[in-house]
Amino acid sequence: MTKIIIHSVLLACLVFGVSSSSAADTTHASKSVEHKQVVDYLTGRFQPSKHPAFSRVPKKYANRSGFYLRTEAYNAFQKMHAAAKKQGINLVIRSATRNFTNQHYIWERKWKSKSRANLNASARALNILKFSSMPGTSRHHWGTEIDINSFNNSWFTYGEGLRLFNWMNNNAAKYGFHRPYTAKNKNRPNGYNEEKWHWSYTPLSIPMLRDAYQALSNDDIRGFSGSNTASKIGIKENYILGVDKSCQ
């Protein structure tokens, strides 16, 4: 008996890369996906390079080789990149899919940094969570997220960076991309600090967000230093759901 009932055939298609027709034609059981398989995908416990629904991003679109995206998100990015290029804007992917192992490395490096050595577990986790996700909770696991051009918010406030940021704000939605981590205010009081570089392909990420919130339990957020603080901090409520309304 599966523990999670997927609310539509759509999520099965998103997670496993099957067509909607083949998923619907199997049986009613196609709407009920094995809990472990769904959780493993949403928490990044897989290899994008071996997943049939992912495509490798060519070096011409990125600052280095080796990035992967969901194929639909990659195709949309290609179109957006071409449109931006015509107007003198060069979009460069700096980060794309990061599986659990990648996120674990980032988290552990920050957890062990000397600058946080004197903080208790909760304070240390909250400090890292200003910009970095706990392994298993990052949107980058899903293959729908891109970081572009610079990891410095100030770069997007003048010159080339400002022109690029303005172009994205005016045009990215046409290609399905929205910014999850806008400025924190009364409309987005919780979650990570603003990231002007982070954009999400919402035709895929919105249903994944909804099902991640329902499917993941605190027991699934494990396997790294400080994981026991996840429940106290409210990772699901404050961070997984702590995104701009355009990405919900």
Side-chain angles (χ1 to χ4, degrees):
M1 184 72 175
T2 56
K3 298 180 181 178
I4 289 295
I5 303 300
I6 302 303
H7 296 283
S8 67
V9 177
L10 174 60
L11 185 67
C13 303
L14 296 178
V15 171
F16 300 108
V18 299
S19 68
S20 58
S21 59
S22 61
D25 286 345
T26 52
T27 61
H28 290 296
S30 64
K31 296 182 181 179
S32 299
V33 183
E34 286 295 331
H35 178 252
K36 184 178 185 304
Q37 289 179 301
V38 173
V39 169
D40 282 351
Y41 180 90
L42 294 173
T43 58
R45 290 178 169 88
F46 66 97
Q47 287 293 340
S49 61
K50 298 179 180 179
H51 197 293
F54 281 73
S55 291
R56 186 183 180 95
V57 177
K59 176 69 165 59
K60 69 177 182 178
Y61 295 121
N63 71 323
R64 64 176 177 83
S65 59
F67 291 132
Y68 286 84
L69 284 171
R70 291 293 300 228
T71 298
E72 185 179 333
Y74 168 58
N75 291 341
F77 176 80
Q78 284 183 290
K79 294 176 183 177
M80 183 169 69
H81 184 277
K85 198 77 170 177
K86 290 179 180 179
Q87 298 185 35
I89 304 295
N90 186 33
L91 303 178
V92 180
I93 294 177
R94 297 285 303 274
S95 186
T97 305
R98 295 197 296 267
N99 65 11
F100 183 91
T101 300
N102 299 143
Q103 197 67 28
H104 182 272
Y105 171 79
I106 294 170
W107 181 269
E108 293 293 338
R109 175 171 52 81
K110 293 187 175 186
W111 184 269
K112 295 171 183 175
S113 70
K114 294 181 179 180
S115 63
R116 300 181 178 92
N118 294 325
L119 299 176
N120 64 40
S122 291
R124 190 181 300 195
L126 286 168
N127 185 271
I128 299 171
L129 286 165
K130 290 178 181 179
F131 288 106
S132 295
S133 303
M134 286 184 172
T137 70
S138 174
R139 295 172 65 93
H140 278 282
H141 295 329
W142 306 343
T144 57
E145 314 298 297
I146 54 173
D147 295 334
I148 57 172
N149 290 74
S150 174
F151 294 114
N152 190 332
N153 281 322
S154 65
W155 185 82
F156 296 94
T157 63
Y158 60 90
E160 177 189 356
L162 179 59
R163 290 192 297 274
L164 183 148
F165 188 62
N166 287 339
W167 189 92
M168 289 292 289
N169 282 331
N170 292 328
N171 296 279
K174 301 174 187 176
Y175 305 93
F177 288 91
H178 296 84
R179 195 159 62 96
Y181 305 127
T182 50
K184 292 175 72 173
N185 52 38
K186 64 179 182 179
N187 295 319
R188 194 181 79 84
N190 302 314
Y192 309 100
N193 287 355
E194 182 176 22
E195 295 184 354
K196 292 185 175 182
W197 56 84
H198 186 145
W199 295 81
S200 177
Y201 184 66
T202 55
L204 296 183
S205 66
I206 286 177
M208 287 187 184
L209 171 67
R210 293 170 180 168
D211 284 276
Y213 181 73
Q214 294 183 34
L216 298 184
S217 69
N218 289 322
D219 290 339
D220 298 314
I221 304 171
R222 55 182 169 75
F224 57 92
S225 300
S227 60
N228 61 325
T229 67
S231 179
K232 180 179 179 180
I233 289 171
I235 287 297
K236 287 176 61 175
E237 297 80 5
N238 295 324
Y239 288 87
I240 292 178
L241 287 185
V243 295
D244 185 76
K245 293 185 183 301
S246 65
C247 295
Q248 296 178 8

